[in-house]
Amino acid sequence: MQLKRVAQAKLPTPWGCFTIVGFEEIATGKDHVALVFGDVNDQTSILTRVHSECLTGDALFSLRCDCGFQLEAALKQIAKEGKGILIYHRQEGRNIGLLNKIRAYALQDQGLDTVEANEQLGFAPDERDFTLCADMLTLLGVSQIRLLTNNPEKIKVLEQAGIKVTERVPLEVGENANNEHYLATKANKLGHLLHLHPGNH
């Protein structure tokens, strides 16, 4: 177990009142949170979103990605379901950090795709560690989930870490003229399961 659970409080949102639960990485002190809606301890397969931190998309309304759209859609869907969990995984920019992400954006402005930009900066295409998310789910008492994702790698890592994924629930939102190339790269180079509509904007 790489994490410990340290705090929780009510978090009212436009879609309903969630409970925000704070976790701390034991080795580094880095923090992550989960937003929990309703009763998730009834041993059913819980609708869950593992959402990686994206300051530009989640808070600054960037159209370069689909992250902010996915965050809002997932919270709405969980609230509509009546119970569920959103893991907010604080590994910005596929875990290269905010400033390196801005450097990667600059390289993308020069014509590189997201994978090429990360590699030019000396990183792997995706540096994230989703086993932390499995630890968060375990600490929340959840072992079976229906995962809101387009990324099969999340399913693979969570299952290897002991979380049973009973269903993949697609989360395809936010496609626009600014992120067509980004989404195509996710599909073609990172294996994300997307149905893209190029030019339909």
Side-chain angles (χ1 to χ4, degrees):
M1 183 67 65
Q2 301 179 66
L3 297 162
K4 58 183 178 180
R5 181 172 173 167
V6 297
Q8 72 176 58
K10 291 180 180 177
L11 189 75
T13 77
W15 309 286
C17 190
F18 288 74
T19 298
I20 185 168
V21 183
F23 302 87
E24 184 177 82
E25 290 185 37
I26 295 166
T28 65
K30 189 172 181 180
D31 49 79
H32 306 270
V33 299
L35 299 185
V36 179
F37 194 89
D39 179 11
V40 298
N41 295 310
D42 62 1
Q43 303 308 307
T44 59
S45 194
I46 302 298
L47 185 65
T48 300
R49 166 70 180 162
V50 169
H51 187 87
S52 296
E53 179 180 30
C54 176
L55 179 74
T56 46
D58 297 341
L60 301 177
F61 312 106
S62 171
L63 296 177
R64 295 185 75 125
C65 62
D66 55 346
C67 303
F69 299 99
Q70 288 187 316
L71 177 62
E72 182 172 335
L75 290 172
K76 283 181 181 175
Q77 199 159 333
I78 287 166
K80 184 178 179 182
E81 177 101 353
K83 63 181 176 181
I85 298 168
L86 185 134
I87 299 285
Y88 198 81
H89 184 226
R90 298 201 62 206
Q91 297 195 356
E92 177 74 52
R94 299 193 190 128
N95 207 24
I96 68 173
L98 180 60
L99 297 182
N100 280 322
K101 178 179 167 180
I102 296 169
R103 292 184 180 106
Y105 278 172
L107 291 170
Q108 292 165 41
D109 290 342
Q110 296 168 27
L112 273 62
D113 65 32
T114 55
V115 168
E116 293 163 347
N118 274 26
E119 290 174 340
Q120 184 154 322
L121 291 170
F123 299 105
D126 194 336
E127 295 269 351
R128 290 173 295 180
D129 175 11
F130 295 117
T131 58
L132 292 169
C133 304
D135 284 353
M136 280 186 263
L137 289 166
T138 299
L139 288 168
L140 290 168
V142 172
S143 60
Q144 291 189 65
I145 62 172
R146 292 159 46 231
L147 190 63
L148 280 159
T149 189
N150 306 319
N151 183 359
E153 183 65 18
K154 286 182 184 176
I155 298 171
K156 177 183 171 185
V157 174
L158 289 173
E159 291 204 315
Q160 286 173 344
I163 301 296
K164 184 176 182 181
V165 180
T166 62
E167 181 186 359
R168 182 186 78 86
V169 182
L171 189 62
E172 296 189 52
V173 290
E175 185 182 354
N176 66 79
N178 297 283
N179 66 21
E180 281 180 350
H181 189 49
Y182 164 84
L183 292 174
T185 301
K186 287 213 295 189
N188 297 330
K189 291 193 174 182
L190 298 173
H192 289 214
L193 304 171
L194 295 166
H195 301 90
L196 302 176
H197 308 91
N200 292 344
H201 305 292

